[in-house]
């Protein structure tokens, strides 16, 4: 079983809509959860991280964590074409990061 | 946050040769990591490089194939030895550093390796 699972997509949403990206993880002891954005040919860049149950908002981005259900999600409000990228979910467990395979998001103008 | 550079940014190599990738950080960091990202795939951790000790390799990766050096707190190298076309990938250096709210992992720009 993979440590971190994501739907590979692609997820297509129209410009201005809310994009919802989901991630599940297998280890209940995981401590921190990260969302990275990766444009084609570029290295991942951190968007947000969350470590407590509930929601965390930063601009158009909201991360949601539910430790009981072992899932973490990322909502992107008012999606823009520039948000089109692959979004990687990462879980930190004892200083090791485990990455999901990523969800490709397409925001159509 | 840490700023990371890698050299070379890309290379095309012949089967059987070796390539050493350099990673330089603009601040002292305890933990440095080497990842591989094969085409269309996510990141796979190769090893953790700690200064003053041997690197810790993940399952499926061995020191003979991927020797790592960590001579100081700002620099590390990864060598891809006796390369085959299956080693064609992007190799990423990353560090754990203090971010806005806690420890975060930052990535270098990557080295795109093609093995013929």
């Amino acid at each position: 079983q993979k440590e971190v699972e994501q739907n590979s997509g692609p997820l297509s949403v129209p410009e201005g809509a809310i994009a919802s990206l989901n991630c599940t993880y297998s280890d209940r002891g995981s401590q921190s959860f990260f969302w990275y954005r990766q444009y084609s040919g570029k290295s991942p860049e951190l968007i947000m991280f969350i470590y407590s149950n509930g929601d965390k908002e930063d601009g158009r981005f909201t991360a949601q964590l539910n430790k009981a259900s072992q899932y973490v999600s990322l909502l992107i409000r008012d999606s823009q074409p520039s948000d089109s990228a692959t979004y990687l979910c990462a879980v930190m467990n004892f200083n090791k990061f485990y990455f999901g395979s990523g969800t490709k998001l397409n925001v159509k103008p | 946050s840490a700023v990371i550079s890698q050299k070379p940014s890309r290379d095309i190599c012949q089967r059987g040769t070796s390539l050493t990738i350099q990673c330089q950080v603009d601040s002292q960091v305890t933990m440095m990591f080497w990842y591989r990202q094969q085409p269309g795939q996510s990141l796979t951790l190769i090893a953790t490089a700690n200064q003053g000790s041997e690197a810790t390799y993940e399952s499926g990766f061995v020191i003979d194939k991927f020797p790592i050096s960590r001579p100081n707190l700002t620099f590390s190298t990864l060598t891809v030895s006796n390369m085959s076309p299956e080693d064609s990938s992007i190799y990423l250096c990353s560090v754990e550093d203090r971010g806005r709210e806690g420890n975060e992992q930052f990535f270098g720009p990557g080295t795109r390796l093609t093995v013929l």
Side-chain angles (χ1 to χ4, degrees), chain A residues 38 41, chain B residues 35-38 88-92 109-113:
Chain A
Q38 186 174 27
Chain B
Y35 286 85
R36 180 173 72 183
Q37 188 174 30
Q38 294 181 306
S88 297
S89 187
I90 297 173
Y91 291 84
L92 292 150
T111 296
R112 185 180 294 270
L113 171 62

Side-chain angles (χ1 to χ4, degrees), chain A residues 36 38 43 46 56 96 100, chain B residues 37 42 58 101 104-105 108:
Chain A
Y36 285 82
Q38 186 174 27
S43 60
L46 182 67
K56 180 182 177 183
K96 281 190 178 179
Chain B
Q37 188 174 30
S42 188
E58 297 299 304
E101 297 178 54
E104 299 173 8
Q105 194 163 71

Side-chain angles (χ1 to χ4, degrees), chain A residues 45-101:
Chain A
E45 56 179 328
L46 182 67
I47 300 174
M48 292 190 69
F49 87 91
I50 186 168
Y51 57 85
S52 298
N53 273 328
D55 295 1
K56 180 182 177 183
E57 189 174 314
D58 185 358
R60 294 187 296 114
F61 300 97
T62 299
Q64 299 174 318
L65 174 61
N66 184 323
K67 288 188 177 181
S69 301
Q70 294 176 240
Y71 86 78
V72 57
S73 62
L74 179 70
L75 301 178
I76 306 175
R77 290 182 298 281
D78 188 23
S79 295
Q80 301 297 309
S82 59
D83 294 326
S84 297
T86 296
Y87 289 80
L88 301 170
C89 173
V91 172
M92 188 176 78
N93 204 348
F94 296 104
N95 286 333
K96 281 190 178 179
F97 281 70
Y98 300 91
F99 285 85
S101 57

Side-chain angles (χ1 to χ4, degrees), chain B residues 4-8 19-25 31-37 43-50 55-58 61 66-70 75-80 90-95 105 107-108 110-111:
Chain B
I4 306 167
S5 60
Q6 282 185 239
K7 286 196 294 187
L19 175 72
T20 295
I21 302 167
Q22 299 179 7
C23 177
Q24 180 76 52
V25 190
M31 301 184 77
M32 296 179 76
F33 306 88
W34 286 98
Y35 286 85
R36 180 173 72 183
Q37 188 174 30
L43 289 83
T44 302
L45 180 63
I46 298 172
T48 303
N50 297 315
T56 304
Y57 289 83
E58 297 299 304
F61 298 97
F66 297 102
I68 287 171
S69 79
R70 181 80 199 274
F75 187 78
S76 178
T77 67
L78 169 76
T79 299
V80 186
I90 297 173
Y91 291 84
L92 292 150
C93 169
S94 78
V95 303
Q105 194 163 71
F107 287 88
T111 296

Side-chain angles (χ1 to χ4, degrees), chain B residues 2 25 27-32 70 72-74 95-97:
Chain B
V25 190
S27 58
Q28 293 184 338
V29 293
T30 302
M31 301 184 77
M32 296 179 76
R70 181 80 199 274
N72 57 52
L73 292 173
T74 64
V95 303
E96 190 173 300
D97 196 17

